[in-house]
Amino acid sequence: MERVTLTSGGTSVVFHSIERPGGDAYSAGRFLVEAETEGLQVTRSVFMLDMGWDALIAFFDDLAASWRGWEGEQVWASIEHDLRLAAVEDDLGHVRLSLTISNGPIPSWTVQVLDVIVEAGEEFSALARAVSAWVGISPSA
C-alpha cells in the first residue's frame, strides 16, 4: 500500500511517501502528510524514529479495538511534534480525528484539521489495517 487516504466532507488527509529504513529503535525515517480543507492545503514531512511506527500503528489499532467508545481524547504525536493526531468518539458512533500539523517542536506555523469523521467499527478497523499495511512497506530502492 502506497498511501492512506481519509476523506470527510470537504476535507482530505493523505499519508504517503514513506521512508522506513529500519534496523534499530533509533533508525530515522519519514513520511509525508497532506491535508486539504476549505481552500487550505498543507504538506509536511514528518520525521520518525523506528520505535514511533509501532506507536502509530498501536494508536489506530487501539481505537479500532475500542469501537464501543472510550472516555476523553486519545492522542498520538510524532517525536518532533510536527504531527499530532487526536481522536474522540461522539454519541453517534463516529470517531472524530483531528490533526495538528506544524513545522517542528517550536513552530512558527500550525494548521489544525478538525473533525475528520470515520465510523467506529468496521470502517475504523479497515483504516487501522490500512495504516498497518502502509507502515509495513519496505523502503523504495
Side-chain angles (χ1 to χ4, degrees):
M1 176 172 291
E2 294 181 17
R3 59 184 50 225
V4 174
T5 303
L6 301 160
T7 57
S8 176
T11 301
S12 71
V13 176
V14 181
F15 300 102
H16 64 92
S17 300
I18 194 169
E19 296 174 16
R20 185 176 178 211
D24 64 44
Y26 297 100
S27 295
R30 64 183 60 253
F31 66 93
L32 293 179
V33 59
E34 291 183 19
E36 187 170 351
T37 184
E38 298 179 21
L40 175 69
Q41 183 177 8
V42 63
T43 302
R44 176 71 184 164
S45 178
V46 178
F47 176 79
M48 298 282 282
L49 291 177
D50 204 47
M51 60 187 163
W53 299 106
D54 289 338
L56 179 61
I57 291 170
F59 173 76
F60 283 97
D61 284 349
D62 291 347
L63 294 174
S66 302
W67 63 272
R68 292 182 189 244
W70 60 86
E71 292 295 319
E73 182 179 68
Q74 302 295 318
V75 176
W76 174 87
S78 65
I79 192 163
E80 292 186 336
H81 302 282
D82 42 5
L83 177 61
R84 180 181 186 271
L85 304 173
V88 296
E89 188 168 43
D90 65 20
D91 293 334
L92 302 173
H94 303 114
V95 176
R96 295 179 176 273
L97 289 173
S98 298
L99 293 84
T100 303
I101 303 168
S102 61
N103 63 334
I106 304 172
S108 60
W109 59 264
T110 299
V111 173
Q112 288 189 311
V113 179
L114 304 175
D115 288 341
V116 178
I117 299 171
V118 181
E119 295 287 330
E122 184 50 38
E123 187 176 341
F124 202 92
S125 292
L127 172 60
R129 288 190 302 272
V131 169
S132 184
W134 173 71
V135 169
I137 292 175
S138 58
S140 301

